[in-house]
Amino acid sequence: MASETLEEFYKNKFDWLPDNLQQNMGHFNVFRIEDCIGPKATKHVTYSRRSFYKISLMFGDNIIHYADQSIALSGASLMFFSPHVPYTFEQMSDDRTGFFCIFTEAFFAERFRGGLSELPMFSLGAKPVYALDNAQAEYVSGLFVKMLDEINTDYDFKYELIRNYVTELAYYALKTQPSENVYKHANAKTRITSVFTELLERQFPIETPSQRFMLRSANDFAQRLSVHVNHLNRAIRETTGKTTTDHIAERLLNEAKSLLRHTDWNISEIGYCLGFEEPTHFNNFFKKQTQQTPTSFRNVDLV
């Protein structure tokens, strides 16, 4: 389950590389989905992580496989994808229309000092899909058209305008969600939580059976952050409503499900790379979280 790089994305879809791929300011590009349909686009899109962010506006009937979820989409859907979570699409209708843009973290380095995870849709455990009505879809389409128009100009500050359009797109999407999902104001506790989340995510993706998940307990993270474990636990509980252990277990479980579904590794290999010394320890953890053994989960998913 390797991560697709920008170079691989362009070669797989277009058989060419843009001149600005490695520019210091970070990379950005935007497309109409129908312009990307061709011999290269008929291949099955693999379930994998990407090394870049992606925002898509898609119309019609589709299924998105995201982490351990499969979500049926109908109508206009706005979707946000980060490099941390694997995904793929299945088009259920012939008329593939819409837009998408791709960009690297560096493209927004000055706009979000804490990284793109400041935006709720790119944070750990975020909901990636926003269903749009006709008026909302028209507004979002307009933002993508502005990006398409602007990227083809010679205007010196075109990328500043494009950053504004992408930021507007993200905040417009948040308006369709309940207000409690909007990112809370930053303080010391949220900063600790943000760094904890970054350390947790940095250990993924698990791409080979020899790779290991090492920071597995609240105490492990507290030592790395140079804070008392009680202080870490309080900060995470107050900012997220979950315990440190809950976050670690949830992330481990999501990765375990993805590996069981999308690799042919045996149960012992998956347990080992997730930090379990014995297969029985992994079995006990998985069964406690899901009421299923890893083997039964894999077998049911294959039916």
Side-chain angles (χ1 to χ4, degrees):
M1 192 165 55
S3 296
E4 182 183 45
T5 65
L6 276 170
E7 289 87 349
E8 290 167 339
F9 164 80
Y10 280 104
K11 288 179 180 178
N12 290 339
K13 191 170 287 292
F14 304 111
D15 263 344
W16 58 266
L17 293 176
D19 296 333
N20 64 344
L21 192 59
Q22 299 296 337
Q23 58 184 324
N24 294 332
M25 61 174 286
H27 182 73
F28 177 90
N29 214 338
V30 60
F31 308 89
R32 292 182 188 272
I33 290 175
E34 49 266 45
D35 292 340
C36 301
I37 298 173
K40 283 284 183 179
T42 60
K43 297 192 309 180
H44 175 68
V45 180
T46 58
Y47 178 89
S48 65
R49 294 172 176 85
R50 277 72 178 175
S51 64
F52 48 89
Y53 291 82
K54 182 177 182 179
I55 304 176
S56 297
L57 172 64
M58 298 181 70
F59 296 93
D61 297 327
N62 302 277
I63 297 176
I64 172 178
H65 303 287
Y66 179 85
D68 65 322
Q69 306 174 63
S70 294
I71 306 169
L73 310 175
S74 183
S77 303
L78 181 62
M79 292 158 284
F80 296 82
F81 304 109
S82 81
H84 306 306
V85 183
Y87 64 90
T88 190
F89 295 97
E90 285 185 55
Q91 280 84 20
M92 307 304 291
S93 55
D94 294 332
D95 53 335
R96 307 184 209 172
T97 61
F99 307 86
F100 69 94
C101 63
I102 58 173
F103 49 91
T104 58
E105 183 95 34
F107 186 72
F108 280 96
E110 296 182 4
R111 183 64 59 90
F112 299 103
R113 298 183 64 182
L116 282 168
S117 59
E118 286 187 15
L119 290 172
M121 61 275 293
F122 290 131
S123 64
L124 181 65
K127 178 183 177 182
V129 179
Y130 296 75
L132 306 180
D133 61 27
N134 290 339
Q136 292 168 335
E138 183 177 355
Y139 183 85
V140 170
S141 295
L143 290 174
F144 274 104
V145 170
K146 288 180 179 179
M147 293 183 222
L148 283 165
D149 290 342
E150 198 59 50
I151 202 167
N152 293 316
T153 70
D154 295 325
Y155 180 46
D156 289 343
F157 299 102
K158 67 180 180 181
Y159 287 111
E160 285 302 318
L161 277 175
I162 288 171
R163 287 188 190 90
N164 289 339
Y165 296 144
V166 176
T167 305
E168 183 178 355
L169 188 62
Y171 286 115
Y172 183 78
L174 292 175
K175 289 174 66 176
T176 70
Q177 291 297 101
S179 61
E180 60 265 23
N181 286 347
V182 178
Y183 188 74
K184 305 292 190 300
H185 66 280
N187 55 39
K189 291 186 173 107
T190 58
R191 284 195 294 273
I192 289 175
T193 301
S194 177
V195 177
F196 159 77
T197 301
E198 181 181 347
L199 286 175
L200 180 61
E201 284 297 329
R202 195 180 293 169
Q203 299 181 85
F204 300 98
I206 302 292
E207 296 182 322
T208 67
S210 61
Q211 185 179 342
R212 293 213 74 190
F213 179 69
M214 301 300 294
L215 300 178
R216 300 189 67 255
S217 70
N219 195 54
D220 291 337
F221 284 94
Q223 289 181 7
R224 183 67 64 89
L225 293 169
S226 299
V227 298
H228 194 279
V229 66
N230 291 341
H231 182 55
L232 173 66
N233 287 334
R234 279 196 303 271
I236 291 176
R237 166 75 82 171
E238 290 182 23
T239 54
T240 70
K242 298 180 182 178
T243 67
T244 311
T245 301
D246 287 341
H247 281 288
I248 297 170
E250 182 179 296
R251 190 63 183 87
L252 268 177
L253 181 63
N254 286 341
E255 192 73 6
K257 288 180 176 179
S258 293
L259 293 173
L260 287 166
R261 280 181 166 174
H262 302 288
T263 74
D264 58 1
W265 306 350
N266 63 46
I267 303 301
S268 296
E269 288 176 319
I270 292 175
Y272 177 80
C273 72
L274 293 177
F276 296 92
E277 297 295 339
E278 300 291 337
T280 54
H281 297 164
F282 176 52
N283 283 338
N284 292 339
F285 163 80
F286 196 90
K287 191 169 184 179
K288 180 181 178 181
Q289 301 292 326
T290 67
Q291 289 73 56
Q292 290 180 284
T293 65
T295 301
S296 62
F297 175 85
R298 172 175 269 176
N299 290 341
V300 168
D301 199 54
L302 291 174
V303 173

